[in-house]
Amino acid sequence: MSMTLEEVTTLFQEYCEKHRKLFLPGPNDGPVVKSLVDFYSKHYSIEILCESIEYYIKQSKEPVQIYNFAVESSQIRDHVVAEKRRREDFDKLLHQTQERMNQINRKD
Amino acid sequence: MNYEIALLNSIISSGDVTSCIDQNIDSVFGEYEDVWKFIVSFHGEYGKAPAKDVVKNSFKNFEFFTSEAPLQYYIDEAKKHSLGRGVRSSLYKASEALKNGEDPAKIVSLMQSEAMELMRNSGRLSDTNIVDYNERVQILRDRIENPDKKTLGVPTGFKVIDAHFGGSQPGDFIVLMGWTGVGKSAIARLVAANAWRQGYVPLIISLEMDRIQEEFRMDTILNAGEHFTNTQLTNGVGIDIDDYTGWAKGMFDGKHPIHLVTSDGIESADQNFVQSKIEQYKPDLVVLDYHTLFDDARNGGTETERAKNLSKDFKRIAVRNRVPIWDVSGVTMDGGHEERPPELSEIAWSKQLAYDADMILSIHRKRDEDIFQIVTKKTRRCAPFAFYLEWNLDSGKWKELFDHEAF
């Protein structure tokens, strides 16, 4: 998955709309978004960036600024990554359980 | 003759210290406890009971005689006398407390606590020799010959849990944890209702809900969407009274009981209260709803300490009474984690719970959805498992699933 800088900026606005938060554009939004996209593309993924943005906006009790997100993003990212792993673990366990139940049912 | 002296003489002459240790006789000794400890210590060091002269060297005034009856007779007599002494002491303390004008409710609680201790000491917690396998052969034979008993314990009604965990077995302490309001209590009642349908007697101790609400809730679960909804029952709207009466007659008349204890009129509901209710009703399965609403008979200081004490004691009560206990525990929402089942570490007394629980089921449901995620966070005797439960709480209809797009 890849996104342009404009698309990421628009994503902030869309999530703010979705979660009824005020979006405050900042003078350095362009360079900050570029830095975020470069960093996440290199070390994580754009999906993680998008999920982090939504989580940040959803939790935010103040008007949303891209710069503030960038400052807090490492903590948010850890949370998002951990939650993603939990979901994957649950799905894996669900699948294993289903396999075992199928085996039991076949024996019966 | 003093029963302690008689028992000690029999131990010394028979030399059978091991039988005594196996039968947990420590508590029968009072006045001569030091002699018993000396014998145990000597046996530990030299592998045999001390001879009379050895005991005489350390306890000059100890009285010796030749015991005629077998050792077991003296053990049984000592336990009987010791229990009698304990009962007398407990009654005396209660009587004195009453004379001094103390609160009778507190005195009853104290007596219950002492009664539990006495039962424990008088041999209710007995040891067994694993080499004696006959009972296990009988259990397996019963299960093979009788398909209805395929699940070793009380069936939960959930195929996944019964196939993996073997139902709720005697002594199990099973914890249902989830964020507040996800439907943990409802699932605990579904387990109780399913057990009842299979012929078992459940006991539900609910400190959370009113008696009538509880009864309507059980009606809803047992009716499974066939005649009425929970809303109709609680509001009394759109329900045919003859239909309800007919359903209730068919469902309950002549059947074994479902015991429900609510907090109406109860001053304190603690570990002793749970024990006394189990003794009163002799259930096959107990539901405790919910953990932090119970009082701690041991008066733990902080909320976490109280929760830990309760967890430890509920497990002991389950083992002592050979009954499975389902304990409902709420987890407070923190940091927006309400989109998934809680982790064990998110319970304040998680370490204690990890020691005590035989199985911890973490439950989650999205607000206003009918799909529950159920996942084990600890299992003592099976592989971890997970499944979805589709359940309309208002109608009572439910089924297990493995695929659902809600999550």
Side-chain angles (χ1 to χ4, degrees), chain A residues 55 58 83 86 97 100 108, chain B residues 150 164 335 339-340 384 386:
Chain A
Y55 178 75
K58 201 171 151 190
E83 290 301 306
R86 280 197 187 97
T97 308
R100 275 197 297 267
D108 285 350
Chain B
K150 200 171 162 191
H164 283 78
E339 291 173 349
R340 58 161 174 79

Side-chain angles (χ1 to χ4, degrees), chain B residues 66 74 125-126 132 147 278 310 399-400:
Chain B
T66 309
Y74 293 104
L125 287 177
S126 56
D132 299 336
I278 291 174
L310 286 167
K399 64 177 174 186
E400 292 164 70

Side-chain angles (χ1 to χ4, degrees), chain B residues 4 40 52 75 81 171 183 223 309 339 390:
Chain B
E4 290 184 45
V40 173
K52 278 184 186 174
I75 293 175
H81 280 92
N223 136 87
N309 288 343
E339 291 173 349
E390 185 177 31

Side-chain angles (χ1 to χ4, degrees), chain B residues 14-295:
Chain B
S14 70
D16 189 1
V17 181
T18 314
S19 290
C20 300
I21 294 172
D22 284 349
Q23 293 186 56
N24 297 323
I25 63 163
D26 290 8
S27 62
V28 306
F29 293 107
E31 196 181 345
Y32 293 92
E33 192 186 6
D34 50 351
V35 182
W36 166 239
K37 281 190 172 162
F38 172 78
I39 293 172
V40 173
S41 153
F42 187 94
H43 180 265
E45 199 163 339
Y46 302 104
K48 59 191 287 191
K52 278 184 186 174
D53 62 307
V54 178
V55 177
K56 191 83 186 163
N57 274 345
S58 299
F59 303 94
K60 301 227 177 320
N61 298 324
F62 186 75
E63 187 188 338
F64 288 98
F65 77 100
T66 309
S67 51
E68 302 292 338
L71 172 62
Q72 192 58 48
Y73 166 79
Y74 293 104
I75 293 175
D76 293 343
E77 280 296 296
K79 280 187 173 175
K80 204 159 65 183
H81 280 92
S82 163
L83 186 58
R85 185 179 62 189
V87 172
R88 274 194 299 279
S89 156
S90 179
L91 291 174
Y92 176 75
K93 273 194 260 176
S95 157
E96 288 299 298
L98 269 178
K99 270 191 223 162
N100 294 334
E102 283 183 33
D103 179 4
K106 274 190 182 166
I107 299 171
V108 170
S109 177
L110 179 76
M111 286 175 74
Q112 282 176 331
S113 169
E114 294 202 347
M116 272 173 69
E117 192 64 29
L118 284 171
M119 281 189 298
R120 193 179 303 139
N121 292 338
S122 63
R124 284 282 193 99
L125 287 177
S126 56
D127 302 334
T128 58
N129 184 353
I130 291 173
V131 172
D132 299 336
Y133 57 84
N134 289 331
E135 188 186 1
R136 303 199 290 280
V137 169
Q138 191 54 46
I139 290 169
L140 282 172
R141 182 170 290 133
D142 278 358
R143 291 177 69 189
I144 293 162
E145 289 172 0
N146 186 353
D148 291 344
K149 285 189 179 175
K150 200 171 162 191
T151 302
L152 186 57
V154 178
T156 64
F158 296 107
K159 285 182 198 139
V160 174
I161 301 180
D162 291 339
H164 283 78
F165 194 64
S168 326
Q169 298 183 15
D172 276 349
F173 180 53
I174 299 162
V175 176
L176 286 174
M177 69 172 193
W179 311 117
T180 49
V182 296
K184 304 174 293 294
S185 302
I187 289 184
R189 277 149 190 77
L190 180 56
V191 168
N194 289 343
W196 183 78
R197 281 179 181 283
Q198 298 282 323
Y200 294 90
V201 174
L203 162 65
I204 302 165
I205 302 183
S206 168
L207 306 180
E208 196 186 33
M209 277 163 67
D210 167 75
R211 182 175 61 83
I212 294 294
Q213 280 182 46
E214 279 284 359
E215 291 176 0
F216 281 151
R217 171 73 73 89
M218 281 307 271
D219 282 348
T220 307
I221 291 171
L222 288 166
N223 136 87
E226 286 180 12
H227 294 258
F228 46 78
T229 64
N230 196 56
T231 310
Q232 286 174 321
L233 290 179
T234 47
N235 297 337
V237 175
I239 187 154
D240 179 339
I241 190 64
D242 293 331
D243 187 34
Y244 173 79
T245 312
W247 170 83
K249 235 178 175 23
M251 181 61 72
F252 299 120
D253 275 2
K255 300 277 176 62
H256 53 289
I258 303 172
H259 296 293
L260 169 68
V261 178
T262 58
S263 47
D264 300 354
I266 294 170
E267 296 224 351
S268 157
D270 57 17
Q271 298 94 319
N272 303 322
F273 177 77
V274 173
Q275 173 64 34
S276 67
K277 288 295 165 191
I278 291 174
E279 282 174 21
Q280 183 179 352
Y281 294 119
K282 306 269 184 292
D284 297 310
L285 175 140
V286 179
V287 169
L288 302 178
D289 190 9
Y290 63 83
H291 195 91
T292 45
L293 284 181
F294 281 87
D295 300 301

Side-chain angles (χ1 to χ4, degrees), chain A residues 55 58-59 79 83 86 90-91 93-94 97-98 100-101 104 108, chain B residues 150 160 164 335 337 339-340 343 373 375 384-388 402:
Chain A
Y55 178 75
K58 201 171 151 190
Q59 296 300 309
H79 172 85
E83 290 301 306
R86 280 197 187 97
F90 178 82
D91 289 342
L93 192 53
L94 197 66
T97 308
Q98 188 174 18
R100 275 197 297 267
M101 289 306 290
I104 290 167
D108 285 350
Chain B
K150 200 171 162 191
V160 174
H164 283 78
H337 290 167
E339 291 173 349
R340 58 161 174 79
E343 295 295 326
Q373 277 177 297
V375 56
F385 57 82
F387 64 101
Y388 290 123
F402 285 108

